[in-house]
Amino acid sequence: MTATTTAPGSADTAAVRRAIADTVRPARPGRLSTALTFGWRGMLKVKHVPEQLLDVTVTPVMFLLLFTYLFGGAIAGSTSAYLDYTLPGLLVMSVLFTTVYSGVSLNTDLTKGVVDRFRSLPIWRPAPLLGSLLGDSVRYVVAGTVIIAVGVALGYRPDGGVGGALAALALVVVFSFGLSWVFSVLGLLMRSPNAVMNAGFMGIFPLTFLSNVFVDPATLPGPLEAFVEVNPISVLATASRSLMAGAPDGTAIAVSLAVAAALAAVFLPVTTRLYRSR
Amino acid sequence: MTAQPALAIEAVGLEKSFGDTRAVAGVDLAVPAGAIYGVLGPNGAGKTTTIRMLATLVEPDAGSARVLGHDVVAESDAVRGLVSLTGQLASVDEELTGRENLVLVGRLLGHRRAAARARADELLEAFGVADAAGRLVKHWSGGMRRRLDIAASIVVTPQLVFLDEPTTGLDPRSRNQVWEIARALAAAGTTILLCTQYLEEADQLADGIAVIDRGRVIAEGTPGQLKASVGTGSLHVRLLDPGRRAEAARVLEAAVGTVVLEPDPAALSAACADAERAAVGVGELGRAGVGVAGFSLDQPSLDEVFLALTGHVAEQQPSGTLEEQAS
């Protein structure tokens, strides 16, 4: 190797020196701008790793097909009647499953070391967390839209029309913003992205099944019915159903929003604290 | 740029425990501005925790540190504005492309979109990774990731760069490139705190070295001072005629010091820390008519320094382990 030639793919020391000699220091960006930059990062990930979207949409679509055609007739008398009952609930399931990925991607950042980069930058500290909501929301909307679209393709026609469907989707997405902080905390506490995924689904999976997403709780044995009635996922599914049916259930909507706010109020500060100290 | 204080890093009694483990048990450091300062020690000695405290990622349990004149706890934001960290696992986003990584950092530091892109392209070119700029970093080689990591650290030129084991797991060619980059940074006046478990790396790059073991600094000085403090080097002589080795041994024993016969039948060495005495020894061999094919005077290696200072051998981690964790 000689001093005058630079092999392809090598660092050019003279150019490195020139780059360092440039000591221009731009003014620090504002908080919103910093959070939006992290939002841009979240979008880029959706673009580069679309498989993640596939993961979260395939399972609910599979459940939609299985339950509608296998059990629909037995549960509700006909597949179309069951589709009317279960689709608003599957919307809830589909989007809530996606929230687990907030924890998974946060944990991925931690294990790969990129969080060290962010934490060593002179930026507003909650910005990486708030910015990631933007990327998350894209995933929520895609997951929700896919399940509604498949439902419509199978013959589902909500009485609430497009407006009702959009309102239900919006409510579920807002609820997910609250729930995602629970998984963010999990993402900061667990050792690997896979562990977060497993623990997350171990929680969300039974909770979803022990709700009114698939069956009317009136058919359940007493204690189970009591649990299903108070399960927030049931409340959210009821709210979603009412919006899609064009007859909004004010109480269910209010309780859903309150639960989301409570989850965020508890778990957002824990997330920020853990993110700062880990 | 504001004038730098004479000491870029001034740490007194830094301590940090994780549970029952005392990772850092009272570290003092004084790093002159503009120097490459090496923190040398085996795995688990407390190097990374020390760097993380100085880079404001972890708050110390006890002790204090000022980096470029700012307290790492009370003025952590000011410190973050002046330093950059290149982590043990390359601190880059594998699910973004190389260019996106640098644009992201540029935007976060306040560059407008066009300026961030221009700076990214300039750095990608300078660090020899422009060809791969549009590919996701997870498909890059370890050496390229390291270079991108360092490039990300100078998107806005910092006054001080922390390099935490920058060549762990790299092949020799990539390692040399990282060393070249580190030297270029230092030549431009950037202070570098280099953590390494590679004795050769500290010897090659650092102006000053602190040897750290079990959370404490156990020795400090220039590479030369550290070697000298451990004691003697040795004069190696290779003879033209192996048959005269016994005679040569007598001469060197008298003129220089304790002689060791080497496995090579024509070679022998004498304990000797002093170049002039070594010259006398070689002269005596000539006077005695013993033909000398060649000779050299070696200082003790840093491996020997470490053994002498700690009483145990530096435990080398099998290279590549960290890379595997990262992928």
Side-chain angles (χ1 to χ4, degrees):
Chain A
M1 209 193 288
T2 65
T4 47
T5 58
T6 307
S10 296
D12 174 350
T13 316
V16 170
R17 283 187 202 202
R18 276 197 301 280
I20 296 168
D22 178 1
T23 54
V24 175
R25 182 163 281 275
R28 286 195 190 184
R31 293 179 168 193
L32 180 65
S33 151
T34 307
L36 286 176
T37 302
F38 279 105
W40 173 68
R41 168 178 181 252
M43 302 298 203
L44 288 174
K45 291 198 173 220
V46 175
K47 184 175 113 189
H48 291 314
V49 200
E51 308 91 88
Q52 237 182 43
L53 280 177
L54 210 65
D55 286 353
V56 295
T57 48
V58 163
T59 316
V61 167
M62 204 176 69
F63 276 115
L64 172 61
L65 296 174
L66 272 178
F67 272 76
T68 305
Y69 290 107
L70 206 56
F71 306 128
I75 295 173
S78 75
T79 49
S80 67
Y82 187 63
L83 195 59
D84 280 348
Y85 176 79
T86 199
L87 194 99
L90 277 164
L91 168 69
V92 169
M93 175 181 175
S94 165
V95 178
L96 293 196
F97 276 14
T98 315
T99 58
V100 176
Y101 280 86
S102 303
V104 173
S105 58
L106 193 53
N107 188 278
T108 307
D109 286 355
L110 275 176
T111 48
K112 303 285 181 184
V114 70
V115 165
D116 282 352
R117 164 79 55 209
F118 298 149
R119 291 179 58 216
S120 68
L121 291 173
I123 53 175
W124 184 47
R125 311 216 89 184
L129 295 167
L130 295 175
S132 67
L133 280 181
L134 201 61
D136 289 348
S137 64
V138 172
R139 275 190 225 130
Y140 300 158
V141 169
V142 169
T145 308
V146 166
I147 204 83
I148 294 175
V150 174
V152 168
L154 297 181
Y156 176 67
R157 297 288 179 272
D159 292 339
V162 177
L166 285 179
L169 179 61
L171 176 71
V172 175
V173 167
V174 169
F175 185 88
S176 299
F177 283 150
L179 182 64
S180 70
W181 298 113
V182 177
F183 295 111
S184 298
V185 168
L186 215 55
L188 288 164
L189 290 177
M190 309 216 56
R191 280 175 188 276
S192 74
N194 266 337
V196 178
M197 182 109 83
N198 289 336
F201 277 108
M202 228 141 65
I204 196 84
F205 213 90
L207 268 183
T208 308
F209 273 84
L210 295 179
S211 76
N212 64 17
V213 164
F214 293 108
V215 292
D216 184 346
T219 65
L220 302 174
L224 192 57
E225 186 190 351
F227 176 81
V228 168
E229 293 289 356
V230 297
N231 183 349
I233 295 181
S234 297
V235 179
L236 181 63
T238 303
S240 157
R241 212 166 268 143
S242 74
L243 285 166
M244 287 227 180
D249 176 339
T251 318
I253 294 170
V255 170
S256 300
L257 292 174
V259 169
L263 288 174
V266 173
F267 289 96
L268 177 55
V270 179
T271 308
T272 355
R273 174 127 24 97
L274 285 173
Y275 189 80
R276 204 172 299 176
S277 65
R278 237 191 81 160
Chain B
M1 199 190 284
T2 50
Q4 290 192 14
L7 283 181
I9 299 176
E10 209 178 348
V12 183
L14 283 182
E15 284 181 32
K16 184 73 193 177
S17 299
F18 299 102
D20 293 338
T21 318
R22 262 189 120 193
V24 176
V27 161
D28 297 340
L29 281 179
V31 177
I36 300 188
Y37 197 83
V39 173
L40 175 67
N43 265 327
K47 304 186 300 291
T48 296
T49 307
T50 302
I51 268 201
R52 292 174 72 84
M53 285 191 277
L54 294 173
T56 78
L57 299 189
V58 176
E59 281 194 13
D61 294 337
S64 67
R66 299 182 79 77
V67 171
L68 299 161
H70 300 283
D71 187 276
V72 293
V73 177
E75 301 166 280
S76 62
D77 196 57
V79 173
R80 283 193 288 277
L82 298 171
V83 307
S84 283
L85 173 73
T86 296
Q88 194 167 358
L89 304 165
S91 315
V92 291
D93 192 333
E94 298 188 337
E95 286 174 359
L96 300 186
T97 67
R99 179 178 288 112
E100 286 164 355
N101 263 285
L102 296 185
V103 172
L104 176 69
V105 173
R107 298 280 290 146
L108 291 174
L109 288 168
H111 275 307
R112 300 204 165 270
R113 201 169 292 262
R117 284 198 191 128
R119 181 66 170 172
D121 285 334
E122 179 188 9
L123 289 171
L124 290 163
E125 197 65 48
F127 282 77
V129 289
D131 292 344
R135 280 195 289 143
L136 297 189
V137 174
K138 65 178 162 198
H139 302 307
W140 287 29
S141 73
M144 288 163 63
R145 275 184 224 199
R146 273 296 166 198
R147 277 183 269 155
L148 182 68
D149 195 12
I150 301 177
S153 295
I154 62 168
V155 165
V156 168
T157 304
Q159 291 184 27
L160 187 150
V161 176
F162 295 104
L163 294 179
D164 189 3
E165 306 209 358
T167 62
T168 299
L170 296 192
D171 60 74
R173 183 166 168 272
S174 303
R175 187 193 61 183
N176 284 334
Q177 292 205 355
V178 169
W179 286 356
E180 277 304 307
I181 293 167
R183 289 190 185 106
L185 295 184
T190 312
T191 308
I192 296 180
L193 188 74
L194 167 78
C195 271
T196 181
Q197 51 174 323
Y198 297 127
L199 308 155
E200 188 195 353
E201 184 160 85
D203 202 9
Q204 281 272 340
L205 295 178
D207 307 306
I209 297 177
V211 183
I212 185 167
D213 187 42
R214 293 172 187 161
R216 285 177 192 285
V217 175
I218 53 168
E220 222 181 333
T222 63
Q225 282 169 344
L226 278 179
K227 290 169 181 171
S229 75
V230 173
T232 72
S234 49
L235 169 68
H236 297 272
V237 179
R238 198 154 189 287
L239 304 175
L240 287 171
D241 178 6
R244 302 193 66 179
R245 186 157 80 158
E247 191 183 344
R250 272 196 301 281
V251 172
L252 288 180
E253 188 90 42
V256 183
T258 316
V259 167
V260 176
L261 300 179
E262 294 184 12
D264 177 351
L268 69 168
S269 61
C272 170
D274 173 359
E276 281 178 26
R277 184 168 282 266
V280 171
V282 175
E284 287 294 319
L285 287 177
R287 201 163 307 153
V290 180
V292 172
F295 63 92
S296 65
L297 181 63
D298 288 349
Q299 288 198 301
S301 72
L302 275 170
D303 283 299
E304 290 166 302
V305 171
F306 202 85
L307 180 60
L309 289 172
T310 64
H312 59 88
V313 187
E315 294 140 37
Q316 297 286 347
Q317 182 179 344
S319 62
T321 313
L322 283 169
E323 290 295 295
E324 281 153 26
Q325 280 173 11
S327 59

